[in-house]
Amino acid sequence: MRDEAKKSIVLIGIATGFCGLAGAFLLNLWGRPATRISIPLAAPEFTNTATVRMSAADLVRTEGDTSGFSCYTCHDAKKQLLVNLDTNGAVILAEPHKEIVMKHGRNNRNEHCFICHDSKNLESLRVNEGQSFKFTESSRLCGSCHGPNYRDWEIGVHGRTAGFWDRKRGPIVRSDCTSCHDPHAPAFPPMKPGPGPHRLHLEKVFSAEKRNP
Ligand code: HEC
Ligand code: HEC
Ligand code: HEC
Ligand code: HEC
């Protein structure tokens, strides 16, 4: 009988102890560890490492659609192609080229098609000095007028460099000018700024204030 009484006392003791603990937890006597703040990932547009456009060389490399560079599917190699200009000297674009926006520089003196395209071989580029380039070599065309930018690009302070630091393991790759600039309207498009850094430490202070107002 005494053993039974002892047992009940112990059990009641344990039960009261647990009830007390439960009450303490419910009343949050010792506080709770701060809840983990879930940090939203930056939108993919800010982590995407692709250049803003694909140059002719990029399209060839990635086996993309290069049909736009086959001029002689429409043009006749034997016929002299003329460029029509309006009274302001701006090029009047033919229907198939309507999507081209010509805006190279602040005036229209740089917009005649044959400043860059070879009138005798449409599938190549040509500069005044007579050098001829393939569409995939367009950076050299740009360099013929933009010497300082081209030199900066060659040494890696303009544009983008990828590939290997250790040249023994592989070459470096410089993005073409036309991977970033549309040759017909080269001004770089405005970009939306990415989100700022996450203020994790401040969030902690705010959520602590919410817990103990
Ligand atoms: C889908 C058909 C098509 C393709 C492809 C095409 N052109 Fe044309 N292009 C035309 C037509 C049509 C004209 C109007 C003149 C004519 O009929 O010859 C024209 C006119 C032009 C002109 C004169 C300016 C103008 O817009 O009228 C230039 C310069 C020119 N093309 C360059 C090119 C070059 C360079 C390529 C290849 C990179 C090319 N074209 C590919 C159809 C085409
Ligand atoms: C025949 C010479 C010539 C060639 C070739 C040429 N540019 Fe230009 N570029 C100019 C001139 C001139 C300006 C205008 C400068 C100004 O208005 O202050 C210009 C302006 C620019 C600008 C500044 C934005 C703007 O519209 O004012 C960029 C970017 C540019 N060019 C990139 C290129 C790229 C990329 C290529 C090669 C696809 C290229 N250029 C080929 C002569 C050239
Ligand atoms: C400042 C030099 C420059 C001038 C001026 C220029 N182009 Fe181009 N164009 C290029 C280069 C460089 C490419 C190939 C670029 C690439 O890598 O995407 C090209 C590509 C093209 C293409 C094929 C791809 C596309 O964008 O459709 C057509 C068609 C074309 N040009 C037509 C014209 C016509 C028509 C004019 C005159 C209204 C003109 N271009 C004026 C430099 C020029
Ligand atoms: C990785 C992208 C990228 C590449 C590749 C690139 N550029 Fe640019 N370029 C830019 C950006 C971004 C600007 C700045 C635009 C601004 O400030 O509004 C710029 C500006 C320019 C300007 C305007 C004048 C100046 O100096 O600020 C010229 C001209 C120019 N680039 C020419 C070139 C030429 C020529 C090449 C190739 C030899 C080239 N770029 C390659 C991204 C590029």
Side-chain angles (χ1 to χ4, degrees):
M1 194 57 194
R2 273 192 76 196
D3 276 358
E4 284 290 293
K6 248 190 204 162
K7 220 194 236 166
S8 329
I9 289 167
V10 169
L11 279 177
I12 288 166
I14 290 174
T16 337
F18 275 116
C19 285
L21 275 176
F25 284 136
L26 272 178
L27 294 173
N28 199 9
L29 282 190
W30 302 290
R32 288 198 180 95
T35 42
R36 273 222 180 163
I37 304 142
S38 72
I39 302 170
L41 294 174
E45 63 184 290
F46 298 118
T47 51
N48 181 359
T49 56
T51 47
V52 294
R53 69 191 298 281
M54 298 274 272
S55 68
D58 291 335
L59 288 171
V60 169
R61 210 172 15 245
T62 57
E63 293 173 6
D65 178 10
T66 52
S67 59
F69 298 105
S70 307
C71 315
Y72 292 115
T73 49
C74 299
H75 288 281
D76 181 352
K78 287 182 220 88
K79 226 175 87 192
Q80 177 70 42
L81 177 62
L82 296 172
V83 174
N84 298 314
L85 303 178
D86 67 15
T87 46
N88 297 321
V91 179
I92 304 170
L93 288 166
E95 201 52 44
H97 297 308
K98 273 283 191 297
E99 78 280 14
I100 294 178
V101 177
M102 255 341 284
K103 183 124 196 50
H104 198 133
R106 281 166 290 183
N107 51 55
N108 64 10
R109 274 174 292 177
N110 205 28
E111 305 189 342
H112 195 288
C113 317
F114 297 144
I115 287 178
C116 300
H117 292 278
D118 187 345
S119 62
K120 304 228 163 46
N121 176 8
L122 289 180
E123 292 185 1
S124 67
L125 300 163
R126 195 180 154 276
V127 287
N128 287 338
E129 305 93 87
Q131 277 169 290
S132 186
F133 304 112
K134 296 188 198 118
F135 281 127
T136 49
E137 299 170 321
S138 62
S139 292
R140 297 183 54 207
L141 166 84
C142 314
S144 69
C145 291
H146 294 285
N149 293 81
Y150 188 78
R151 285 192 291 277
D152 286 352
W153 175 80
E154 274 186 311
I155 56 168
V157 288
H158 188 99
R160 186 200 288 179
T161 306
F164 295 86
W165 286 111
D166 183 355
R167 305 282 161 84
K168 281 184 250 120
R169 294 179 57 205
I172 52 161
V173 186
R174 304 243 194 258
S175 298
D176 308 304
C177 313
T178 54
S179 295
C180 296
H181 297 286
D182 179 340
H184 304 134
F188 199 81
M191 295 179 91
K192 233 167 70 184
H198 195 274
R199 302 177 307 163
L200 191 57
H201 60 297
L202 289 182
E203 297 288 348
K204 258 189 184 152
V205 173
F206 292 147
S207 50
E209 273 169 5
K210 248 181 259 155
R211 264 184 289 125
N212 306 313

